[in-house]
Amino acid sequence: MARYTGSVCRLCRREGTKLFLKGDRCLSGKCALDKRPTVPGQHGSGRKNVKEYGLQLREKQKAKRYYGVLENQFKGYFEKADKAEGVTGENLLSLLERRFDNVIYRIGLADSRKEARQLVTHGHFRINGKKVNIPSLIVRAGDVITLREASRSSEKFKALIEGLETRITPKWIELDKAQVVAKIAALPQRDDVDFPFEEHLIVELYSK
């Protein structure tokens, strides 16, 4: 399974914004972007005039890195979004939000999308009662997500379950915090995405 294995803090520095790839650490004083807000590399501190293509490319890279998706997979999501009814950019973000690893992160059962991907791969979760270990699976409206019973006793999940009390769950996910059962109540809409993407730039890039 292909995945990025380099320093995630470099990705935030490259995009010039916090992508929250390390969870709560990104909100602390240990955030690398706060300490070194320049682009990585020898010439990172130099100023450059970014042209139209550069803006489009950076927006695509930002979305890829935010959701932890590699190039070919991201292009596949775009092609699927382009064929679906509605606005292509909004369709794209909806697909990315519905990735199983992102849903686990949104529920609050992982501190970051990277951790959610790992927990899914290890088989800790069920969808409609069936074991699913594919992070890229796209959930559908009506799907019910549960935590494997054997996983509840681990210290990791005990801490995460306690943290659900203060976690804000997206409105498209119905969460029973006591039973740790989540239901996909509806498909995520554009205003459900809380990161300031300019998805029209991604559409313009792939439309060339």
Side-chain angles (χ1 to χ4, degrees):
M1 185 189 306
R3 60 190 178 91
Y4 176 78
T5 58
S7 169
V8 295
C9 291
R10 286 178 64 89
L11 301 183
C12 293
R13 289 178 57 208
R14 180 63 188 87
E15 302 309 328
T17 187
K18 292 187 180 185
L19 301 175
F20 302 100
L21 303 178
K22 284 194 172 182
D24 291 341
R25 180 187 175 94
C26 299
L27 301 174
S28 70
K30 297 180 180 179
C31 177
L33 185 64
D34 291 338
K35 294 180 178 180
R36 301 179 65 187
T38 56
V39 175
Q42 181 179 0
H43 305 292
S45 59
R47 292 188 175 183
K48 296 181 180 180
N49 293 322
V50 182
K51 296 183 179 180
E52 182 182 28
Y53 173 78
L55 292 173
Q56 296 167 349
L57 178 62
R58 293 268 58 86
E59 201 64 24
K60 184 202 70 170
Q61 294 295 85
K62 189 191 302 181
K64 276 175 48 185
R65 290 164 173 174
Y66 183 74
Y67 288 103
V69 178
L70 297 183
E71 181 63 38
N72 286 341
Q73 197 171 26
F74 190 87
K75 185 177 180 181
Y77 286 135
F78 177 83
E79 291 173 350
K80 188 173 182 179
D82 193 34
K83 293 177 182 178
E85 294 183 3
V87 181
T88 300
E90 295 181 6
N91 291 341
L92 174 62
L93 293 179
S94 179
L95 283 171
L96 293 168
E97 278 291 312
R98 289 161 52 203
R99 279 177 56 97
F100 192 27
D101 54 359
N102 180 73
V103 172
I104 293 300
Y105 170 70
R106 292 293 193 195
I107 291 171
L109 291 175
D111 291 326
S112 66
R113 289 178 180 83
K114 183 178 181 180
E115 182 180 68
R117 181 187 180 109
Q118 183 181 51
L119 294 175
V120 169
T121 302
H122 289 175
H124 289 288
F125 304 102
R126 304 284 185 267
I127 295 181
N128 301 328
K130 297 181 180 179
K131 176 182 175 181
V132 176
N133 58 4
I134 304 173
S136 61
L137 182 140
I138 302 297
V139 300
R140 297 173 296 181
D143 282 347
V144 176
I145 299 167
T146 54
L147 175 64
R148 187 182 65 171
E149 196 62 36
S151 302
R152 293 171 180 262
S153 59
S154 74
E155 294 301 317
K156 173 65 178 178
F157 279 108
K158 284 181 179 179
L160 287 169
I161 292 171
E162 289 179 5
L164 292 179
E165 292 301 321
T166 57
R167 188 85 175 222
I168 299 175
T169 309
K171 63 184 181 182
W172 54 280
I173 300 175
E174 293 179 354
L175 176 62
D176 183 334
K177 296 182 179 180
Q179 299 299 320
V180 196
V181 176
K183 180 179 180 181
I184 306 302
L187 300 184
Q189 303 300 310
R190 179 62 185 90
D191 58 0
D192 293 318
V193 181
D194 56 4
F195 194 86
F197 289 115
E198 294 185 57
E199 64 273 12
H200 67 278
L201 293 177
I202 302 175
V203 177
E204 290 171 4
L205 177 66
Y206 278 115
S207 298
K208 291 184 175 180

